[in-house]
Amino acid sequence: MACQGTTCSAGQPKPIINAKTYMKTVVGSLGLSTSSSLVQATLVTFDSGVYRPLAWTNNATAMNTAIDGLCNGNQNTCSGYTNIAGGLQDAFTLLSGIPSSFGGAKVVILLTDGQGNRPIPSTSNTVGSNPVAYQAAMNIKGSGATLISLGFNGAILTALNGYASVDPNCVGVASGRRHVYAGATIDDLESFLQQIAKAICGDNVECASPPLDQPACNTERSAWDDVNTQCGTECRAQINQFSSGIQYRTCTNFCAGVGRKCVSGSSSCTSGTTTTCNTIRSDSSYTCRCGDPLYF
């Protein structure tokens, strides 16, 4: 998990507290028990560096204590950087230490609120822009482990999708669906807990996306950040500060930030020409059409 900006400073504001609570809820679904060594877990944290607060354990209390210690100054520095590459590399190292005789499932859960910017800073918002992280994810999946990507706030959807494993249970029109769960805030990930628990256990998950809830999307637009103009009734909006830093740059990233998939982009509300969702824009404002809730 990465702690960015002021998220981890000034007495731990709500975002990091909520993230800790969410992480402990996920831990609760693992079935850790001190009376059995069949299920074990560990924790890797990252900011500019990478840290291991504890070794492999079957003790849920020890895991929760380590989570509570995050961003307290004793287990990582929470500098605001997001070293996803280092975190995934360390996870692969830990997996490599598991004896070959182990016959159980191996799962890595990546939780991040930002874009990987260490060890290779990037402004292109694509998986390939941080090849070290992408290669580490490939190594994890190549070892037979399942990689589940959880993202919120400024997490880059295209990168999360590239890191994650394909769900082998999804076939037909849902073929290729990956273990990716994303939302605008950590609270939005609560609705995915059951699917995540099933993915951890290798059980079947719901593979079909829900139908487009256009009216709900149109209602939400007034609460979206940086909206200049709400366009018609197609869940479209013209977004200000589109080229500001690396916050948006593509409609895929903007729509992911409000918890939705992207449909298309365009230069204005009235433009008849559309662009693909992953087209990188440097405009001061741009129009995005969002669609289905994120449910990969």
Side-chain angles (χ1 to χ4, degrees):
M1 181 193 150
C3 303
Q4 282 196 297
T6 59
T7 299
C8 297
S9 63
Q12 296 188 35
K14 186 176 180 180
I16 184 60
I17 294 174
N18 287 359
K20 290 181 180 183
T21 300
Y22 184 82
M23 292 167 70
K24 288 189 287 186
T25 302
V26 173
V27 168
S29 70
L30 299 179
L32 295 176
S33 172
T34 53
S35 63
S36 173
S37 60
L38 293 178
V39 180
Q40 298 207 27
T42 187
L43 182 66
V44 175
T45 71
F46 51 87
D47 51 14
S48 57
V50 179
Y51 314 87
R52 294 185 195 173
L54 80 170
W56 289 102
T57 182
N58 58 349
N59 190 322
T61 300
M63 279 289 292
N64 289 336
T65 298
I67 291 170
D68 283 333
L70 297 181
C71 300
N72 285 342
N74 59 337
Q75 290 174 341
N76 66 31
T77 59
C78 292
S79 65
Y81 293 112
T82 310
N83 191 358
I84 293 177
L88 291 177
Q89 285 178 318
D90 203 54
F92 176 64
T93 298
L94 286 165
L95 290 173
S96 300
I98 296 176
S100 58
S101 58
F102 176 76
K106 296 181 290 186
V107 180
V108 173
I109 303 172
L110 169 67
L111 174 64
T112 180
D113 68 344
Q115 177 190 7
N117 54 20
R118 288 292 185 274
I120 302 176
S122 163
T123 57
S124 61
N125 291 347
T126 62
V127 171
S129 66
N130 198 332
V132 178
Y134 186 54
Q135 184 60 55
M138 293 291 289
N139 291 341
I140 288 171
K141 292 180 285 188
S143 73
T146 297
L147 202 163
I148 301 172
S149 293
L150 310 180
F152 65 102
N153 193 20
I156 304 300
L157 181 60
T158 49
L160 293 177
N161 202 51
Y163 302 145
S165 299
V166 172
D167 187 344
N169 297 311
C170 295
V171 296
V173 295
S175 179
R177 178 196 160 207
R178 293 176 181 264
H179 289 300
V180 178
Y181 304 91
T185 68
I186 189 70
D187 295 332
D188 293 329
L189 296 180
E190 290 285 343
S191 61
F192 298 126
L193 281 171
Q194 184 176 6
Q195 293 97 308
I196 293 168
K198 288 183 176 180
I200 292 171
C201 296
D203 297 335
N204 290 334
V205 296
E206 179 61 50
C207 296
S209 296
L212 175 64
D213 57 340
Q214 199 78 65
C217 185
N218 288 331
T219 301
E220 292 172 6
R221 288 183 301 177
S222 61
W224 291 355
D225 290 336
D226 299 324
V227 170
N228 178 45
T229 305
Q230 298 181 41
C231 309
T233 59
E234 295 183 328
C235 199
R236 290 196 304 151
Q238 187 175 35
I239 313 303
N240 287 328
Q241 302 180 20
F242 202 83
S243 61
S244 175
I246 56 174
Q247 180 62 31
Y248 303 129
R249 293 177 61 82
T250 72
C251 284
T252 291
N253 295 336
F254 173 78
C255 291
V258 298
R260 292 188 173 272
K261 297 179 183 179
C262 172
V263 177
S264 63
S266 58
S267 59
S268 68
C269 288
T270 58
S271 174
T273 303
T274 61
T275 60
T276 63
C277 290
N278 290 324
T279 299
I280 297 174
R281 305 295 304 189
S282 58
D283 313 63
S284 59
S285 67
Y286 202 65
T287 299
C288 297
R289 180 183 178 189
C290 304
D292 291 340
L294 279 175
Y295 188 97
F296 289 84

